[in-house]
């Protein structure tokens, strides 16, 4: 048995192929590159039952990951996050089988750790010494910390408005950190220039082929946790869309291995009304999105005005009979509170956006009462301490509690 069955890289746009043993960024045609595995060989050698007793993180699927030598794995135990039944919230929404895939419980507090773990491991295998990336915060935090663990240097550029904790995480990791008075696409331009000027490895979303491989493991875990049944619907808060593209890719690979049946879940791309390029493209039944001007949302991780892999996100949505939905920020904060109060889970605004989209789609009848619905909560609420407006009474030391109007009734 080989540790990885990686075969080569291919371009989903022009079908060119590339050698996976050397450093690659985008295809010559400008498209992201994706990893191909030797699935026929893997199908013969690898059974679902081989997973029994393996380490309880995403490396349990190492055959379907790009790292060829185990010694190059850089890990802090990321993956195999809980699939939590949301009974009370599901009842409130009228969805009997509602689950949360909770990515808040992972190193660095967001699912960006999956992409960083696999991306950094592969970067180490390829001999990379220094990388650069633009970020809305969470990716920069995950990549700079995993880079530090592997001894790779990082240069990170993020919007000045990005959640402050992510700034601190990057700075603490020893990264070269810069803030820009703009959005992620502005940070991207600065990084692109620095990559040229200083010959850095560009790990911007989808400009290297391996981050997506880390994120695709969410899809494998979901079906493993559901005893190799696919759910009816998966909702995903979509910025660059890497997780959604990855989940789709993973399920296709599992089909090729014969581990799951033909049925695919309907994939739903969720965005904020303040930044909804994918939703607009889907509504117009287009295959690519247009740049969204003056984007703004509290769900910072999904503030991406134009995603490089938009055509792949849209393809996954069309191919699975899914849809794209936008939600309102004020309602997202309400949903976040609902989830805390009904389920005891303090989740990130991006995750709350995806739950709100599930509620909307149930109201419209697009989701049926008895369908199995999985919502990705992509991060912990505690990474956004300032998103929640609190209004609590302050007592002086000698006061007693007389007014209990603050108490929530369940
Ligand atoms: C980055 C991020 C997203 C969006 O992920 P993409 O793969 O870029 O679509 C969603 N939620 C959180 C918390 C994020 O950090
Ligand atoms: Zn190409």
């Amino acid at each position: 048995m080989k540790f990885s069955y990686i075969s080569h890289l291919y371009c989903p746009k022009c079908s060119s192929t590339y050698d996976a043993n050397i450093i690659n960024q985008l295809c010559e045609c400008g498209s992201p590159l994706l990893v191909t595995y030797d699935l026929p060989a893997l199908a013969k050698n690898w059974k679902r039952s081989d997973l029994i007793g393996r380490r309880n993180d995403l490396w349990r699927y190492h055959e379907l990951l790009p790292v060829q030598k185990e010694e190059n794995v850089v890990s802090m135990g990321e993956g195999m996050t809980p699939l939590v039944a949301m009974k009370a919230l599901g009842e409130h929404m009228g969805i009997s089988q509602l689950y949360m895939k909770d990515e808040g419980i992972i190193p660095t507090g967001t699912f960006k750790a999956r992409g960083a773990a696999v991306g950094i491991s592969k970067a180490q295998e390829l001999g990379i010494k220094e990388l650069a990336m633009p970020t809305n915060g969470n990716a920069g935090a995950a990549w700079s910390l995993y880079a530090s663990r592997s001894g790779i240097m990082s240069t990170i550029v993020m919007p000045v408005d990005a959640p402050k904790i992510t700034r601190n995480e990057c700075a603490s990791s020893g990264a070269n950190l810069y803030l820009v008075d703009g959005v992620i696409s502005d940070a991207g331009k600065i990084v692109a220039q620095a990559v040229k000027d200083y010959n850095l490895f560009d790990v911007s979303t989808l400009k290297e082929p391996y981050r997506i491989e880390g994120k695709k493991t969410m899809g494998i875990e979901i079906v493993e946790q559901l005893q190799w049944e696919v759910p009816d619907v998966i909702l995903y808060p979509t910025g660059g869309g890497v997780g959604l593209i990855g989940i789709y890719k993973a399920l296709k690979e599992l089909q090729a291995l014969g581990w799951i049946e033909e049925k695919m879940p309907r994939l739903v791309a969720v965005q904020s009304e303040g930044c909804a390029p994918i939703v607009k493209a889907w509504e117009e039944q287009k295959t690519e999105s247009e740049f969204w001007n003056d984007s703004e949302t509290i769900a910072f991780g999904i503030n991406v005005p134009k995603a490089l892999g938009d055509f792949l996100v849209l393809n996954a949505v069309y191919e699975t009979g899914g849809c794209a939905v936008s939600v309102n920020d004020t309602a997202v904060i309400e949903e976040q509170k609902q989830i805390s109060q009904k389920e005891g889970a303090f989740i990130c605004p991006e995750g709350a956006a995806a739950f709100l989209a599930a509620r909307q789609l149930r109201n419209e009848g697009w989701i049926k009462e008895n369908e199995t619905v999985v919502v990705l909560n992509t991060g912990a609420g505690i990474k956004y301490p300032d998103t929640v407006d609190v209004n609590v009474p302050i007592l002086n030391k000698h006061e007693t509690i007389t007014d209990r109007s603050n108490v929530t009734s369940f």
Side-chain angles (χ1 to χ4, degrees):
M1 280 297 277
K2 289 188 284 186
F3 190 69
S4 166
Y5 279 71
I6 185 170
S7 154
H8 59 275
L9 304 175
Y10 76 97
C11 173
K13 219 167 210 171
C14 76
S15 303
S16 299
T17 59
Y18 291 81
D19 182 356
N21 296 306
I22 56 172
I23 298 170
N24 284 289
Q25 304 244 239
L26 294 175
C27 178
E28 264 174 24
C29 79
S31 161
L33 292 173
L34 299 176
V35 179
T36 301
Y37 296 86
D38 184 356
L39 296 173
L42 192 50
K44 277 194 215 117
N45 294 337
W46 200 33
K47 300 279 165 294
R48 297 188 316 204
S49 55
D50 292 332
L51 298 175
I52 295 166
R54 283 203 180 175
R55 57 190 285 178
N56 203 37
D57 61 25
L58 62 80
W59 298 100
R60 67 198 274 104
Y61 311 117
H62 58 78
E63 285 90 341
L64 215 45
L65 291 172
V67 180
Q68 281 162 302
K69 292 208 175 105
E70 190 167 8
E71 72 223 39
N72 289 322
V73 168
V74 181
S75 174
M76 293 192 271
E78 56 289 327
M80 243 333 158
T81 52
L83 188 67
V84 184
M86 305 291 267
K87 276 199 88 159
L89 188 71
E91 216 162 275
H92 197 242
M93 288 186 188
I95 301 175
S96 60
Q97 302 290 325
L98 179 66
Y99 294 92
M100 167 172 67
K101 179 70 173 158
D102 191 7
E103 297 291 304
I105 304 169
I106 204 167
T108 75
T110 75
F111 78 133
K112 291 294 194 303
R114 291 180 189 265
V118 174
I120 289 287
S121 298
K122 191 65 190 176
Q124 173 153 296
E125 189 158 272
L126 292 167
I128 282 154
K129 300 276 178 268
E130 197 171 351
L131 55 80
M133 78 179 334
T135 175
N136 273 328
N138 291 328
W143 280 76
S144 62
L145 286 159
Y146 275 85
S148 294
R149 187 172 176 84
S150 74
I152 294 176
M153 295 217 296
S154 51
T155 295
I156 310 284
V157 185
M158 70 169 69
V160 71
D161 295 333
K164 199 156 168 269
I165 183 67
T166 62
R167 182 194 299 185
N168 297 351
E169 288 174 278
C170 292
S172 178
S173 79
N176 302 308
L177 174 66
Y178 303 90
L179 304 178
V180 56
D181 185 12
V183 295
I184 189 165
S185 41
D186 301 301
K189 283 180 204 142
I190 295 172
V191 165
Q193 190 58 45
V195 161
K196 278 197 204 135
D197 292 347
Y198 305 106
N199 191 30
L200 309 174
F201 183 54
D202 191 343
V203 297
S204 307
T205 305
L206 291 171
K207 285 196 183 167
E208 60 79 54
Y210 303 111
R211 180 201 294 212
I212 182 175
E213 295 302 303
K215 287 194 176 181
K216 83 177 180 188
T217 55
M218 292 187 292
I220 313 179
E221 288 176 20
I222 289 169
V223 291
E224 187 180 359
Q225 288 170 318
L226 292 172
Q227 278 74 48
W228 305 105
E229 292 286 329
V230 300
D232 296 295
V233 179
I234 297 178
L235 296 103
Y236 177 78
T238 304
V242 187
L244 194 128
I245 302 165
I247 290 170
Y248 181 69
K249 183 174 188 285
L251 296 179
K252 286 282 177 194
E253 287 167 351
L254 294 181
Q255 283 181 345
L257 293 179
W259 287 20
I260 58 171
E261 310 272 313
E262 287 293 286
K263 178 188 158 187
M264 284 290 256
R266 296 172 351 251
L267 297 177
V268 179
V270 180
Q271 300 199 298
S272 164
E273 283 174 359
C275 182
I278 302 278
V279 178
K280 180 164 183 286
W282 179 78
E283 283 169 350
E284 296 165 358
Q285 294 288 293
K286 296 208 168 120
T287 53
E288 278 181 32
S289 66
E290 285 161 40
F291 189 93
W292 189 276
N293 285 310
D294 305 319
S295 61
E296 202 182 351
T297 169
I298 52 154
F300 226 82
I302 55 174
N303 189 345
V304 180
K306 165 78 183 164
L308 195 57
D310 56 356
F311 69 103
L312 295 169
V313 175
L314 287 158
N315 179 60
V317 169
Y318 293 133
E319 285 294 314
T320 60
C323 67
V325 185
S326 63
V327 293
N328 173 274
D329 272 4
T330 311
V332 166
I333 293 176
E334 260 326 293
E335 192 67 47
Q336 188 189 32
K337 277 193 209 147
Q338 282 287 348
I339 296 163
S340 294
Q341 290 173 17
K342 293 212 154 40
E343 298 287 354
F346 182 44
I347 72 172
C348 66
E350 294 84 349
F355 275 104
L356 177 58
R359 184 186 294 280
Q360 285 177 198
L361 290 172
R362 177 68 193 101
N363 286 343
E364 291 163 16
W366 193 88
I367 292 175
K368 307 280 180 298
E369 202 270 326
N370 56 0
E371 287 190 307
T372 301
V373 176
V374 174
V375 177
L376 266 303
N377 172 41
T378 41
I382 50 175
K383 291 207 80 172
Y384 303 73
D386 303 324
T387 305
V388 182
D389 243 345
V390 289
N391 184 15
V392 289
I394 299 175
L395 306 175
N396 78 42
K397 286 189 278 201
H398 308 292
E399 242 176 301
T400 57
I401 296 169
T402 49
D403 174 9
R404 303 223 321 136
S405 60
N406 236 19
V407 173
T408 306
S409 57
F410 290 92

